[in-house]
């Protein structure tokens, strides 16, 4: 039996590659595993040899110490891999299949899954609806920034690529199907983007760039991306977005008016989340800034998509309310303007097949939009450091050296 090396959270600002147990078709005890999940048999699952697994901004929140994640947690919820073992109850997934794994873990049996709400499955996380690999308070399913990983409910969840050779040629695009491409697309769809829309995307990290690319795919007339990071804004400009440098001016409506002639947009997407900063040259952390500014610049009757992460426990928050996820929102403004919004995890399975087809047929080029950059498993700790300082890259970990660079 081979070993299994994995990227492990060791404490705030510290990740390292460790040797962990080779996966089995059972959820064993370990860091972050809910006691009610220990010993859970997964004959409906598969073991994957990981082909690619990406560093996500959500991982970075944990690594910064901004969640209650325990030391020893194996990271990684963006997984693409080859099936090397199938459970007794798996019928349609076969050894040798190359598959994308939605970051949401979903049983396919509960009411929410049957209604297509796989992001809030009722059966995989004893703490609350919804689960994910390698993430705090998500039930304890082992993360996939590793050489091998177990994926439960395989027949329901995984997306098989129709041709392995073609998939490996486009693997840097297809690896984004596990999370950020569907997440950005969900943000744009939730915001009501359609042909001719004007769109503001808050945040030029990988999810923000994915949302901007998605808005273009949906036919937006103008996509404006705002951020405090000049390098990431340049990446947004590289594929045709307008940009707003939020360090230079604290009035977002005025900056939008300079671009559109009016100080508002049809649709807005929050791709920042709970570590948001205020605007202007003296900006500092202000977690409700993005939500409130989006309500300000979204037209009356407009919509907001909020794929940006908000948590119920943040030990590093700026005040006691924010430590519990309680933010000071201008809900009165949102009510007066009749703005609707959608938040929560993205139901990846709602979108990943159609986005796969867009990639395979040259309609979507998400790897270029997010500047996909391949690194080895041993380079992952440095990748986290580089990502934390704001480089305009989406790091793709290649545990077995299978990706052509």
């Amino acid at each position: 039996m081979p070993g299994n090396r994995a990227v492990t959270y060791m404490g705030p600002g510290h990740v390292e590659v460790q040797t962990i147990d080779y996966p089995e078709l059972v959820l064993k005890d370990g860091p972050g595993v809910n006691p009610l999940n220990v010993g859970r048999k997964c004959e409906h699952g598969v073991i994957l040899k990981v082909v690619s697994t990406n560093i996500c901004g959500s991982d970075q929140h944990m690594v910064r110490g901004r969640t209650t994640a325990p030391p020893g947690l194996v990271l990684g919820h963006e997984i693409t891999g080859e099936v090397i073992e199938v459970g007794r109850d798996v019928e349609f997934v076969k050894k040798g299949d190359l598959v994308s794994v939605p970051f949401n873990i979903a049983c396919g049996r509960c009411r929410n899954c049957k209604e297509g709400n796989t992001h809030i499955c009722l059966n995989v996380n004893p703490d609350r609806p919804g689960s994910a690999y390698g993430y705090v308070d998500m039930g304890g399913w082992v993360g996939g920034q590793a050489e091998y990983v177990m994926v439960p409910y395989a027949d329901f969840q995984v997306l098989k690529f129709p041709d392995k050779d073609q998939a490996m040629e486009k693997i840097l695009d297809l690896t984004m199907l596990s999370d950020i491409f569907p997440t950005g697309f969900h943000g744009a769809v939730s915001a009501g983007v359609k042909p001719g829309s004007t769109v503001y995307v808050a945040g030029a990290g990988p999810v923000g760039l994915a949302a901007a690319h998605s808005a273009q795919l949906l036919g937006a007339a103008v996509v404006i991306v705002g951020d405090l990071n000049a390098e990431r804004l340049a990446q947004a400009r590289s594929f045709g977005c307008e940009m707003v440098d939020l360090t230079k001016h604290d009035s977002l409506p005025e900056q939008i008016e300079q671009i559109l002639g009016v100080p508002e947009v049809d649709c807005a997407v929050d791709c920042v989340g709970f570590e948001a900063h205020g605007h202007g040259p003296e900006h500092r952390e202000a977690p409700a800034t993005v939500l409130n500014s989006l309500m300000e610049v979204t037209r009356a009757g407009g919509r907001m998509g909020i794929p940006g992460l908000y948590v119920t426990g943040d030990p590093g928050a700026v005040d006691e309310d924010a430590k519990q996820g309680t933010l000071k929102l201008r809900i009165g403004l949102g009510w007066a303007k009749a703005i609707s919004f959608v938040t929560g995890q993205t139901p990846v399975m709602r979108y990943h097949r159609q986005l796969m087809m867009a990639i395979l047929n040259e309609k979507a080029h998400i790897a270029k939009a997010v500047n996909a950059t391949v690194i080895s498993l041993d380079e992952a700790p440095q990748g986290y450091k580089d990502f934390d300082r704001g480089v305009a890259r989406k790091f793709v970990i290649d545990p077995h050296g299978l990706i052509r660079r």
Side-chain angles (χ1 to χ4, degrees):
M1 182 178 295
N4 189 22
R5 300 171 70 238
V7 181
T8 305
Y9 169 70
M10 302 305 294
H14 183 199
V15 300
E16 61 183 51
V17 178
Q18 295 189 330
T19 298
I20 64 170
D21 290 341
Y22 184 82
E24 299 178 40
L25 296 173
V26 61
L27 184 53
K28 298 181 178 181
D29 198 7
V33 180
N34 189 294
L36 296 176
N37 262 352
V38 174
R40 188 167 180 162
K41 293 180 172 57
C42 297
E43 290 293 344
H44 42 64
V46 295
I47 306 297
L48 298 185
K49 179 180 181 179
V50 177
V51 171
S52 63
T53 177
N54 315 325
I55 296 177
C56 180
S58 299
D59 299 320
Q60 197 71 58
H61 291 306
M62 289 188 293
V63 172
R64 289 192 189 113
R66 296 299 298 268
T67 72
T68 55
L73 185 73
V74 176
L75 299 168
H77 55 269
E78 301 189 15
I79 306 165
T80 304
E82 179 184 2
V83 178
I84 58 173
E85 181 181 339
V86 298
R88 178 195 60 212
D89 300 331
V90 177
E91 186 175 359
F92 303 112
V93 180
K94 307 298 183 185
K95 287 183 181 180
D97 288 347
L98 185 61
V99 300
S100 176
V101 180
F103 80 87
N104 325 106
I105 301 172
C107 72
R109 297 154 167 81
C110 70
R111 173 181 175 176
N112 285 347
C113 284
K114 289 179 179 179
E115 293 177 353
N117 296 315
T118 54
H119 56 312
I120 43 175
C121 175
L122 300 174
N123 288 332
V124 290
N125 182 5
D127 287 323
R128 64 183 67 149
S131 189
Y133 302 89
Y135 211 83
V136 59
D137 295 333
M138 289 291 183
W141 300 89
V142 179
Q145 286 176 14
E147 294 174 312
Y148 303 92
V149 69
M150 188 269 284
V151 173
Y153 304 105
D155 276 333
F156 176 65
Q157 290 199 107
V158 303
L159 176 66
K160 177 184 173 181
F161 300 136
D163 183 281
K164 288 178 69 174
D165 292 336
Q166 180 193 30
M168 287 304 298
E169 287 293 320
K170 295 182 177 294
I171 194 65
L172 290 184
D173 291 291
L174 295 172
T175 190
M176 306 303 167
L177 292 174
S178 57
D179 184 355
I180 69 160
F181 198 8
T183 293
F185 195 81
H186 178 61
V189 168
S190 299
V193 178
K194 57 187 177 182
S197 296
T198 57
V199 185
Y200 176 69
V201 177
V207 170
L209 297 172
H213 184 49
S214 297
Q216 293 173 334
L217 289 175
L218 291 165
V222 182
V223 180
I224 304 169
V225 179
D227 204 291
L228 301 161
N229 182 313
E231 183 180 342
R232 289 180 169 182
L233 286 172
Q235 181 63 26
R237 179 192 283 169
S238 74
F239 59 95
C241 298
E242 300 289 338
M243 43 182 262
V244 169
D245 186 341
L246 296 170
T247 67
K248 297 186 181 303
H249 201 303
D250 62 5
S251 175
L252 180 59
E254 288 181 15
Q255 293 181 87
I256 288 176
E257 186 171 19
Q258 290 175 9
I259 296 169
L260 298 177
V262 293
E264 62 183 15
V265 292
D266 299 319
C267 316
V269 188
D270 172 9
C271 297
V272 178
F274 72 103
E275 287 192 67
H277 277 230
H279 303 161
E282 304 299 324
H283 65 85
R284 62 188 63 186
E285 187 168 324
T289 294
V290 171
L291 295 172
N292 287 329
S293 63
L294 293 197
M295 284 192 280
E296 185 178 11
V297 301
T298 302
R299 69 174 180 84
R303 292 165 60 180
M304 293 164 46
I306 310 175
L309 175 68
Y310 290 87
V311 296
T312 57
D314 174 9
V318 294
D319 56 48
E320 291 303 314
D321 282 341
K323 287 181 180 180
Q324 302 176 57
T326 301
L327 308 182
K328 295 181 179 179
L329 299 181
R330 295 187 65 191
I331 194 66
L333 176 62
W335 187 93
K337 295 176 72 174
I339 293 171
S340 57
F341 64 83
V342 175
T343 189
Q345 285 187 41
T346 294
V348 170
M349 292 180 68
R350 194 177 297 173
Y351 308 108
H352 65 174
R353 184 172 295 278
Q354 59 187 285
L355 294 176
M356 175 187 74
M357 294 303 294
I359 289 168
L360 294 178
N361 290 283
E362 299 291 340
K363 298 298 188 292
H365 303 279
I366 185 65
K368 180 179 179 182
V370 301
N371 194 16
T373 303
V374 179
I375 60 175
S376 69
L377 196 65
D378 288 320
E379 292 172 311
Q382 184 61 47
Y384 271 98
K385 292 178 181 179
D386 292 343
F387 192 42
D388 190 49
R389 64 179 176 84
V391 297
R393 298 179 182 182
K394 174 68 172 178
F395 288 111
V396 177
I397 300 172
D398 177 10
H400 296 279
L402 299 174
I403 300 175
R404 189 175 65 196
R405 304 204 185 189

